[in-house]
Amino acid sequence: MSRVVVIGAGVGGLASAMRLAAAGHDVTVIERADTVGGKLARWSRLTAEGVFTFDTGPSLLTLPQVFADLFDSTGEPLEKVLDLVPLDPIVRHRFPGSDGGSGSDSAGGSGSGAGGDASWLDSCTDPAVFAERVAAAFGDRAADDWRRVWRRAGRIWDASWRDILRREVGSPLAVARLAHRLGDLAAIAPGRTLRGVLRREVGDHRLRTLLERYATYTGADPRRAPAALLAVCYAELTFGGWYVRGGLGALGDALLSRCLDLGVVVRTGSTVTAIDAAGGRVHGVRVAGEARPVPADVVVANVDALRVYRELLPDARRLARLTDRSLGGFVLLLGVRGHTPELAHHTVFFPRDYDAEFDAVFGAAGRGRPARPAADPTVFVTVADDPAARPDGHEAWFVLVNAARQDLSLGGVDWRRAGLADAYADQVLRVLAERGVDVRDRVVFREVRTPADLDAATGAPGGAIYGTAGGLLRPANRGPAAGLFLVGGSVHPGGGLPMVTLSAQIVADRIGPAGR
C-alpha cells in the first residue's frame, strides 16, 4: 500500500483519490479552500422572492460515459448517485442578422426560429436533423459543408479517443506517432489551425463561427488553435450535453461522498506550500502552519502546472514556455423576474466581428495592443429549468463572456481596477439588449465575478478557466520527480470536466494498484 497525497480537491483530485483508494492505496486529499470541487462551485442568494442558486463553474456535462466509468469502477454506478438530464437543444445559437441582431423573435423547435428567422440555430445529437437545420438556416451548400466537416471531425475524434485522450502524451511528436494511420493524420492536419481548415472547407461565415467556438472549450484562440479541436464539436453533438438535476455542483458532492466511502481522508482549509522532492523523488508535502511534513510515496497535484513548477517545486527544471495562453471568463449571476422564452438551457449570442473579440481577449499580436475587455463579445447564457435553482416565476441566469486574464505581466487586464467590473457588467447587459434579450428591468440582483476572483478562489493563474495553456498539447501528467503526477485542466488531456476526469484515469493507471 502506497501513501498518496493529492494536492487539491477539484474534480481531477477527487477522481484521482477515488480511483487510487479503490486500488488499495492510503489516500489523503489536502485542499486550501474550505469546500471541495475547485471550479465546480455553487453560490446562493436569499432574496425576498426566495433563494437563487447558481453553478459558478461548468454549466454543461459532456461525455457521460467518462463519469459512468469512474463511478462504476469505484462503487455504486453513476445512475444511483446522479440524475442526468439530456438537453435538447444542446446549445441554441443566435447569430447577428441583417437587422443588427435586434428584435423580439423567439427560437422555434425546428432550430431555425419562429417565422423562418435564420439567425437562430439549435444543435442536437441527430446529425441528419442538424444538417437539415443548417440547410434551413444557411442554405444547402452550408449543409453540404457541414456534412463534410462532420465526417472529418468524427475521424479526429476516433483517433483522439483511441490514441491520445486516455494515454500519456508528452510531445507533438508523440501525438503524431500515436495517430499512426495516414487517414487519421490527414484529418487531424498537424500544424494547421482550426481557422485555416474551416476557411478552406466551410463557406458560410456563421457556420464557421459556430465551429470555431469549440476552441474556447479549451481556452484557446480559434485563429491559432489546432484543427484537431474539431473533435470537441463531434464529442458534444454525438454524446450530447447533460444537466445534473440540482445543479452541476451535485457532481462535486457525489465525488466527495464516494471518496469518503472509500476511506479517503479529505482535509480542507489547509494550504500545501511545497512538495518535498529531495534526491529526485517525492517524500511528502509541506503544509502551512505545520512543523512536520505530511509523508507520501506518491503525490498527485491537482493544481495548475505552472504553480507546481514555479511555487511547489522551485528547484525543479522549468516548465516549457507556454505560448498558447488560456482565456479567462467574466461572469454575471443574475436573479431575473419572469420567463424568457427565447432561451434554451444554454444559449450563445455571437457578435458581428468574432476576430475583434479575440483581438481584445488575447491582445492584437504584432500591433502593440494589450488585452482589454471586448466591446462586443460573444455572450453565453445558461438558464436551468430546475425549480431547485430559483423561486417560482423567476430564472437564475449564469452569463459568461470570454475575457482576458488577470495577468498584467503578460499584457492582461487589471480586473481589480475600481469600477471596471461593474462598468463591464453594464456593457454585457447592453450587448444582450442589442441582440434582442433585454432583461435590465427584470433583474432582481446581480453578482459579478471576474478572472481576478477565479484566481483568488481557486488558484488558477490569472483566472484561466481551462488551465494556464490553451489548445491541444499541455504539460505531461508525469512530474519532474519520481512519484509526482499532475492532473487537472492545465495538463494532458486538457480542460473541461470529462478531460480532467480522464487525466485522473491516466494517472491512476500509471500508478497502478497497491502492491504492484
Side-chain angles (χ1 to χ4, degrees):
M1 175 186 293
S2 297
R3 298 168 299 177
V4 179
V5 169
V6 178
I7 308 172
V11 171
L14 294 175
S16 300
M18 287 168 56
R19 287 191 177 278
L20 291 171
H25 296 283
D26 179 7
V27 184
T28 298
V29 178
I30 303 177
E31 166 61 45
R32 73 172 194 166
D34 293 329
T35 57
V36 305
K39 297 185 181 80
L40 191 68
R42 294 189 185 98
W43 184 80
S44 295
R45 173 76 174 263
L46 175 62
T47 70
E49 292 82 0
V51 177
F52 294 82
T53 300
F54 302 84
D55 289 311
T56 62
S59 58
L60 193 69
L61 189 144
T62 57
L63 297 181
Q65 64 268 35
V66 171
F67 304 95
D69 178 72
L70 173 65
F71 281 92
D72 291 353
S73 62
T74 59
E76 283 193 321
L78 179 66
E79 60 268 22
K80 293 284 189 180
V81 295
L82 290 174
D83 185 4
L84 299 187
V85 181
L87 297 177
D88 187 14
I90 303 169
V91 179
R92 175 163 291 162
H93 306 86
R94 176 66 157 101
F95 301 88
S98 59
D99 62 354
S102 60
S104 57
D105 49 353
S106 60
S110 68
S112 59
D117 178 9
S119 58
W120 294 96
L121 180 64
D122 286 358
S123 62
C124 64
T125 56
D126 187 323
V129 170
F130 188 58
E132 291 172 1
R133 292 179 180 179
V134 171
F138 307 144
D140 291 338
R141 182 176 176 181
D144 289 340
D145 290 346
W146 161 256
R147 294 184 185 97
R148 182 171 57 255
V149 169
W150 181 250
R151 289 192 293 271
R152 181 190 195 117
R155 186 138 199 181
I156 296 172
W157 169 257
D158 289 343
S160 300
W161 183 254
R162 182 187 65 241
D163 295 329
I164 298 172
L165 297 179
R166 296 174 294 166
R167 299 175 61 168
E168 289 186 86
V169 174
S171 71
L173 181 59
V175 173
R177 285 174 175 166
L178 290 171
H180 54 278
R181 295 173 174 84
L182 292 178
D184 293 343
L185 284 176
I188 293 171
R192 296 182 63 189
T193 66
L194 182 63
R195 165 67 60 87
V197 167
L198 291 177
R199 283 203 165 174
R200 179 177 176 177
E201 298 196 3
V202 177
D204 191 281
H205 68 93
R206 293 162 296 183
L207 183 56
R208 288 200 303 267
T209 297
L210 184 154
L211 290 165
E212 286 182 356
R213 181 179 73 83
Y214 287 95
T216 67
Y217 276 37
T218 71
D221 182 339
R223 300 170 299 184
R224 292 186 279 275
L229 290 180
L230 279 171
V232 180
C233 169
Y234 186 87
E236 180 176 284
L237 299 189
T238 297
F239 303 106
W242 302 75
Y243 174 68
V244 180
R245 200 176 302 280
L248 271 290
L251 173 60
D253 296 340
L255 294 171
L256 174 61
S257 179
R258 180 61 51 85
C259 280
L260 297 178
D261 289 344
L262 291 167
V264 175
V265 175
V266 180
R267 295 177 50 184
T268 57
S270 300
T271 301
V272 172
T273 58
I275 298 170
D276 183 357
R281 167 169 286 282
V282 299
H283 305 285
V285 302
R286 297 188 178 275
V287 178
E290 297 183 12
R292 293 178 176 272
V294 179
D297 305 302
V298 174
V299 172
V300 178
N302 182 210
V303 294
D304 195 278
L306 197 62
R307 181 171 171 241
V308 172
Y309 280 78
R310 287 185 178 177
E311 300 177 23
L312 302 184
L313 287 172
D315 297 326
R317 61 177 171 81
R318 291 196 172 192
L319 188 63
R321 183 171 176 264
L322 299 172
T323 56
D324 295 324
R325 291 180 291 136
S326 172
L327 53 78
F330 182 90
V331 172
L332 296 180
L333 307 176
L334 304 177
V336 176
R337 287 187 294 272
H339 176 59
T340 314
E342 298 93 334
L343 302 181
H345 177 94
H346 198 48
T347 307
V348 180
F349 295 85
F350 287 113
R352 280 190 174 279
D353 190 343
Y354 211 30
D355 281 2
E357 175 181 357
F358 290 105
D359 283 345
V361 170
F362 290 100
R367 285 181 274 172
R369 299 190 67 181
R372 59 202 181 278
D376 187 30
T378 302
V379 183
F380 306 80
V381 180
T382 300
V383 180
D385 184 16
D386 186 347
R390 66 335 184 241
D392 288 343
H394 294 77
E395 296 172 330
W397 283 35
F398 174 89
V399 181
L400 173 67
V401 170
N402 296 327
R405 291 162 46 184
Q406 175 74 28
D407 193 343
L408 300 184
S409 65
L410 293 174
V413 172
D414 185 5
W415 289 104
R416 297 187 179 96
R417 195 177 77 213
L420 175 60
D422 279 335
Y424 196 51
D426 291 339
Q427 172 67 9
V428 170
L429 291 177
R430 279 195 296 271
V431 167
L432 274 175
E434 290 167 359
R435 296 180 194 170
V437 182
D438 189 353
V439 295
R440 289 172 293 185
D441 62 347
R442 296 198 281 132
V443 173
V444 178
F445 67 87
R446 79 181 188 192
E447 172 79 5
V448 180
R449 302 287 179 88
T450 73
D453 296 320
L454 184 63
D455 187 338
T458 68
I465 300 177
Y466 300 105
T468 304
L472 183 65
L473 288 172
R474 305 203 173 207
N477 302 106
R478 206 178 314 203
L484 175 61
F485 299 88
L486 284 73
V487 298
S490 69
V491 298
H492 177 73
L497 290 174
M499 296 300 107
V500 165
T501 305
L502 286 174
S503 75
Q505 180 180 344
I506 290 169
V507 165
D509 288 347
R510 181 66 186 85
I511 295 169
R516 188 180 70 173

